Short mmCIF file of all heavy atoms in Angstrom, two decimals:
data_model
loop_
_atom_site.label_atom_id
_atom_site.label_comp_id
_atom_site.label_asym_id
_atom_site.label_seq_id
_atom_site.Cartn_x
_atom_site.Cartn_y
_atom_site.Cartn_z
N PRO A 103 83.72 156.12 145.92
CA PRO A 103 82.37 155.82 146.60
C PRO A 103 81.64 154.66 145.90
O PRO A 103 80.61 154.18 146.45
CB PRO A 103 81.63 157.09 146.52
CG PRO A 103 82.09 157.77 145.18
CD PRO A 103 83.58 157.36 145.13
N ARG A 104 82.16 154.10 144.76
CA ARG A 104 81.40 153.24 143.92
C ARG A 104 82.26 152.18 143.28
O ARG A 104 83.42 152.38 142.99
CB ARG A 104 80.74 154.09 142.82
CG ARG A 104 79.39 153.69 142.50
CD ARG A 104 78.92 154.58 141.38
NE ARG A 104 77.88 155.59 141.86
CZ ARG A 104 77.70 156.78 141.28
NH1 ARG A 104 78.43 157.19 140.31
NH2 ARG A 104 76.68 157.49 141.76
N LYS A 105 81.59 151.00 143.09
CA LYS A 105 82.19 150.02 142.19
C LYS A 105 81.21 149.47 141.27
O LYS A 105 80.02 149.51 141.42
CB LYS A 105 82.84 148.92 143.05
CG LYS A 105 81.81 147.95 143.70
CD LYS A 105 82.40 147.04 144.69
CE LYS A 105 83.38 146.11 143.97
NZ LYS A 105 83.98 145.16 144.89
N VAL A 106 81.73 148.99 140.12
CA VAL A 106 80.91 148.51 139.04
C VAL A 106 81.23 146.96 138.79
O VAL A 106 82.38 146.72 138.57
CB VAL A 106 81.12 149.27 137.76
CG1 VAL A 106 80.18 148.81 136.66
CG2 VAL A 106 80.84 150.75 138.01
N LEU A 107 80.25 146.11 138.75
CA LEU A 107 80.44 144.77 138.45
C LEU A 107 79.78 144.53 137.11
O LEU A 107 78.54 144.67 136.92
CB LEU A 107 79.77 143.81 139.51
CG LEU A 107 80.40 143.56 140.80
CD1 LEU A 107 79.79 142.56 141.67
CD2 LEU A 107 81.91 143.06 140.52
N VAL A 108 80.61 144.09 136.05
CA VAL A 108 80.00 143.77 134.72
C VAL A 108 79.90 142.23 134.59
O VAL A 108 81.02 141.53 134.68
CB VAL A 108 81.01 144.33 133.63
CG1 VAL A 108 80.36 144.01 132.24
CG2 VAL A 108 81.19 145.83 133.85
N LEU A 109 78.70 141.82 134.36
CA LEU A 109 78.43 140.35 134.32
C LEU A 109 78.24 140.03 132.86
O LEU A 109 77.25 140.42 132.27
CB LEU A 109 77.31 139.92 135.29
CG LEU A 109 77.25 140.45 136.64
CD1 LEU A 109 76.05 139.88 137.44
CD2 LEU A 109 78.63 140.03 137.39
N THR A 110 79.11 139.28 132.29
CA THR A 110 79.01 139.02 130.83
C THR A 110 78.35 137.75 130.53
O THR A 110 78.18 136.83 131.39
CB THR A 110 80.46 138.82 130.17
OG1 THR A 110 81.17 137.79 130.75
CG2 THR A 110 81.24 140.22 130.57
N ASP A 111 77.81 137.60 129.28
CA ASP A 111 77.13 136.35 128.72
C ASP A 111 76.01 135.94 129.69
O ASP A 111 75.76 134.68 129.88
CB ASP A 111 78.19 135.28 128.60
CG ASP A 111 79.10 135.48 127.44
OD1 ASP A 111 78.75 136.29 126.53
OD2 ASP A 111 80.17 134.93 127.43
N PHE A 112 75.17 136.78 130.18
CA PHE A 112 74.21 136.32 131.10
C PHE A 112 72.97 135.72 130.51
O PHE A 112 72.07 135.19 131.31
CB PHE A 112 73.78 137.42 132.08
CG PHE A 112 74.42 137.11 133.48
CD1 PHE A 112 75.71 136.88 133.69
CD2 PHE A 112 73.52 137.19 134.61
CE1 PHE A 112 76.28 136.56 134.87
CE2 PHE A 112 74.14 136.83 135.85
CZ PHE A 112 75.44 136.55 136.05
N HIS A 113 72.90 135.58 129.23
CA HIS A 113 71.94 134.72 128.62
C HIS A 113 72.22 133.29 128.97
O HIS A 113 71.46 132.33 128.71
CB HIS A 113 71.75 134.93 127.09
CG HIS A 113 73.12 134.90 126.43
ND1 HIS A 113 73.94 135.98 126.51
CD2 HIS A 113 73.77 134.00 125.70
CE1 HIS A 113 75.10 135.79 125.86
NE2 HIS A 113 75.01 134.45 125.39
N LEU A 114 73.46 133.02 129.47
CA LEU A 114 73.85 131.63 129.80
C LEU A 114 73.91 131.43 131.34
O LEU A 114 74.67 130.71 131.93
CB LEU A 114 75.28 131.40 129.30
CG LEU A 114 75.42 131.51 127.80
CD1 LEU A 114 76.85 131.48 127.28
CD2 LEU A 114 74.61 130.37 127.11
N VAL A 115 72.99 132.11 132.08
CA VAL A 115 72.97 132.08 133.58
C VAL A 115 72.43 130.75 134.07
O VAL A 115 72.84 130.30 135.16
CB VAL A 115 72.16 133.31 134.07
CG1 VAL A 115 70.69 133.21 133.83
CG2 VAL A 115 72.55 133.50 135.54
N LYS A 116 71.51 130.13 133.34
CA LYS A 116 70.95 128.85 133.79
C LYS A 116 70.66 128.86 135.34
O LYS A 116 70.04 129.69 135.90
CB LYS A 116 71.84 127.72 133.39
CG LYS A 116 72.10 127.65 131.91
CD LYS A 116 71.38 126.39 131.28
CE LYS A 116 71.28 126.55 129.83
NZ LYS A 116 70.69 125.42 129.17
N GLU A 117 71.07 127.70 136.00
CA GLU A 117 70.59 127.50 137.36
C GLU A 117 71.30 128.43 138.37
O GLU A 117 71.10 128.34 139.55
CB GLU A 117 70.69 126.05 137.80
CG GLU A 117 72.09 125.37 137.76
CD GLU A 117 72.22 124.70 136.39
OE1 GLU A 117 71.59 125.07 135.43
OE2 GLU A 117 72.94 123.62 136.43
N ALA A 118 72.24 129.25 137.92
CA ALA A 118 72.92 130.18 138.80
C ALA A 118 72.00 131.32 139.17
O ALA A 118 72.40 132.10 140.01
CB ALA A 118 74.37 130.64 138.24
N ALA A 119 71.00 131.58 138.50
CA ALA A 119 70.23 132.78 138.55
C ALA A 119 69.66 132.98 140.01
O ALA A 119 69.80 134.10 140.51
CB ALA A 119 69.08 132.88 137.51
N PRO A 120 69.00 131.96 140.61
CA PRO A 120 68.49 132.21 141.97
C PRO A 120 69.51 132.76 142.99
O PRO A 120 69.12 133.53 143.89
CB PRO A 120 67.94 130.85 142.36
CG PRO A 120 67.71 130.14 141.03
CD PRO A 120 68.72 130.59 140.12
N THR A 121 70.75 132.19 142.90
CA THR A 121 71.77 132.60 143.81
C THR A 121 71.99 134.13 143.71
O THR A 121 72.48 134.75 144.66
CB THR A 121 73.12 131.79 143.51
OG1 THR A 121 72.83 130.48 143.36
CG2 THR A 121 74.20 132.10 144.55
N LEU A 122 71.82 134.68 142.52
CA LEU A 122 72.17 136.08 142.28
C LEU A 122 71.06 137.06 142.44
O LEU A 122 71.28 138.21 142.47
CB LEU A 122 72.72 136.19 140.87
CG LEU A 122 74.13 135.63 140.73
CD1 LEU A 122 74.45 135.39 139.24
CD2 LEU A 122 75.12 136.59 141.31
N LEU A 123 69.82 136.53 142.46
CA LEU A 123 68.69 137.47 142.40
C LEU A 123 68.66 138.54 143.50
O LEU A 123 68.55 139.65 143.24
CB LEU A 123 67.32 136.54 142.42
CG LEU A 123 66.10 137.47 142.35
CD1 LEU A 123 66.02 138.22 140.96
CD2 LEU A 123 64.90 136.61 142.42
N LYS A 124 68.87 138.04 144.69
CA LYS A 124 68.78 138.95 145.79
C LYS A 124 69.84 140.06 145.76
O LYS A 124 69.51 141.23 145.91
CB LYS A 124 68.95 138.16 147.14
CG LYS A 124 68.52 139.00 148.32
CD LYS A 124 68.18 138.08 149.54
CE LYS A 124 67.98 138.91 150.72
NZ LYS A 124 69.12 139.90 151.01
#
Side-chain angles (χ1 to χ4, degrees):
R104 215 178 254 153
K105 70 187 299 179
V106 181
L107 281 184
V108 181
L109 311 182
T110 63
D111 288 340
F112 252 51
H113 48 283
L114 299 171
V115 69
K116 297 252 168 178
E117 60 262 32
T121 311
L122 286 164
L123 181 59
K124 196 165 171 302

